[in-house]
Amino acid sequence: MARILITSAIPYINGIKHLGNLVGSQLPADLFARFNRAMGNEVMFICATDEHGTPAELAAAKAEKPVAEYCAEMHDVQAEIAKGFRLSFDHFGRSSSQRNHRLTQHFAAKLAENGLIREVSESQVYSIDDGRFLPDRYIEGTCPNCGFTSARGDQCDNCTKQLDPTDLIDARSTISGSTNLEVRQTKHLYLMQRSLKDKLEAWIDSKTDWPILTTSIAKKWLNDGDGLQDRGITRDLHWGIPVQKGDAPWPGMEGKVFYVWFDAPIEYIAGTAEWADAKGKDDAAWERWWRTDKGAADVTYYQFMGKDNVPFHTLSFPATILGSGEPWKMVDYLKSFNYLNYDGGQFSTSRGRGVFMDQALSILPSDYWRWWLLSHAPETSDAEFTWENFQVSVNKDLADVLGNLVSRVTKFAKSKCGEDVPAGGSFGPQEAALIADLGARVKDYTDLMAQMDVRKSAAELRAIWVLGNEYLQSAAPWSVVKTDPERAQAMIRLGLNLIRVYAVLSAPFIPDAAQAMMTAMGTDDWTWPTDMSQALRTLPAGHTFSVPENLFRKITDEERAEWQQKFAGVRS
């Protein structure tokens, strides 16, 4: 039994995420976690909400709520939506937890102790009326490049030009609208990442099995002139983890908090500690996953994320871990994804364009979305969600191939044999051929799942479903039953066992449908089918089964047109 640690990029707190966010991190991580549990491995699957930083404060202000209250409410909302998509986290934590406070302060203290933190004086915009320094996103004004009047202090969304707050014309505070601003000096702590370049490069070079997307991004940022830079790890904000050296004050850093990019990935560790706390376990329970001197040396650690998160997870977070000089577990395999675009354009959280996770669940059950997203995962290039493709995939793959097989077999079995697995007949050449074909396909499917090849795994699973349909068409038990009832009973017995096998194999992709199939077969035997001949004899003669409700309904043309129009506009 292997020990598998899985973390998904933690979603930001300021609102509900869209399907592109889901398929780029949490959903494929869940697929892999479910598969490894099915293999009998010990799995720890951790995610959380990322709750600090400027956008959290802005979102809370827009909602007219204290930021702590807003974050608590949105955490609950995101946790509930995650349950709706059947994301099987062992723990869904919060980066604002006391565990993350203590660990972040601990890492900062160790980095300082090792000479990897330096103080830097910066010029920053100060709002006299607000009585505070303004981070980049708290400042808006007119872009000097294109004249856009709502450019932010870090970038103009209209022309995409990178900006400094002092570049803006007629700059104003987004908090109060005040233009009574001035530039003042402030001090911040910087992590000296450049001094860790050799260690980072050696570590990245050792990951020869990483996806090309991951490695290419990591090396580009490592070697480009503007890539690996010393980075500020503090901010002049009210909401965040106070800057301290462990439990001690940090002279000159009073009133400051750690920058969100620094504390967010530490929540992977803290989230596991939160899991231990919630289970009433001691620190050894989570340290065995994260401390190589306390049991984590035999853990294999996988991360899942969109490509925009790769630089932080291949450079900045590893710099924190390596720089601490402590025996923390580092990622073994980083699975990154390209972007999922939406119906001829892009998903847009700010514009409300596309399907958001809560909206998706209000339309159709999670399995419909899980299947399409995973079978179209943007692994080697950007992918695009279109309503036409979604309709075709659901109707053909789920309704016609899998759902139809389950319905035909169970209804025919009940009509001819009652609700018990029939005893007559024995398997012949057709069944032997199916068993051989399924055995080969399932081996390939298992290998692809272990390799985290998501789209190919989905294609292989569909091919396994198709084999069952082709067998039924060829064997034609509905005709054979008229001339050779005993032979037909053997076919029915195989068909019912095939449904159980399909439930086991399909569970990582479509867990609700898999459970419905298993319940209908009257069993809770989720054993992975390594011996297909034995697997197709698991349900014995006389075993009781039932006819399930229709697993998947088809999407109509009218529904598709309605949804396409509904999600092209602005979300209120």
Side-chain angles (χ1 to χ4, degrees), residues 357-506:
M357 290 172 67
D358 59 337
Q359 296 169 326
L361 293 176
S362 73
I363 296 172
L364 290 167
S366 61
D367 279 352
Y368 293 71
W369 302 105
R370 287 178 64 102
W371 174 251
W372 190 91
L373 290 167
L374 290 168
S375 61
H376 294 77
E379 289 177 291
T380 56
S381 62
D382 289 353
E384 182 172 12
F385 176 93
T386 69
W387 286 102
E388 291 82 1
N389 188 292
F390 180 64
Q391 180 190 25
V392 168
S393 184
V394 166
N395 291 356
K396 287 190 174 181
D397 298 351
L398 298 181
D400 287 346
V401 179
L402 180 61
N404 186 48
L405 180 141
V406 173
S407 178
R408 290 170 75 190
V409 168
T410 54
K411 288 178 179 178
F412 178 71
K414 182 178 179 181
S415 70
K416 299 302 179 183
C417 306
E419 293 190 338
D420 292 334
V421 176
S426 58
F427 293 170
Q430 282 180 301
E431 289 73 39
L434 175 64
I435 287 170
D437 289 345
L438 282 173
R441 285 282 191 184
V442 170
K443 184 181 183 303
D444 290 343
Y445 173 62
T446 304
D447 290 344
L448 288 167
M449 290 285 277
Q451 295 160 13
M452 287 164 288
D453 205 327
V454 179
R455 288 180 74 149
K456 288 183 179 179
S457 295
E460 196 65 38
L461 179 59
R462 187 188 188 280
I464 290 168
W465 297 340
V466 168
L467 280 179
N469 280 277
E470 290 175 344
Y471 164 78
L472 286 177
Q473 286 300 110
S474 173
W478 46 85
S479 296
V480 173
V481 73
K482 300 171 185 176
T483 58
D484 190 348
E486 290 280 306
R487 172 93 179 104
Q489 285 187 32
M491 295 176 182
I492 292 169
R493 189 165 62 253
L494 180 140
L496 293 170
N497 273 282
L498 189 60
I499 292 172
R500 188 202 70 86
V501 168
Y502 283 179
V504 174
L505 297 175
S506 304

Side-chain angles (χ1 to χ4, degrees), residues 199-220:
K199 286 185 177 181
L200 289 168
E201 189 165 25
W203 175 69
I204 292 168
D205 286 343
S206 73
K207 305 302 179 183
T208 56
D209 61 339
W210 278 8
I212 294 172
L213 178 64
T214 302
T215 304
S216 61
I217 293 173
K219 290 191 172 182
K220 180 178 185 297

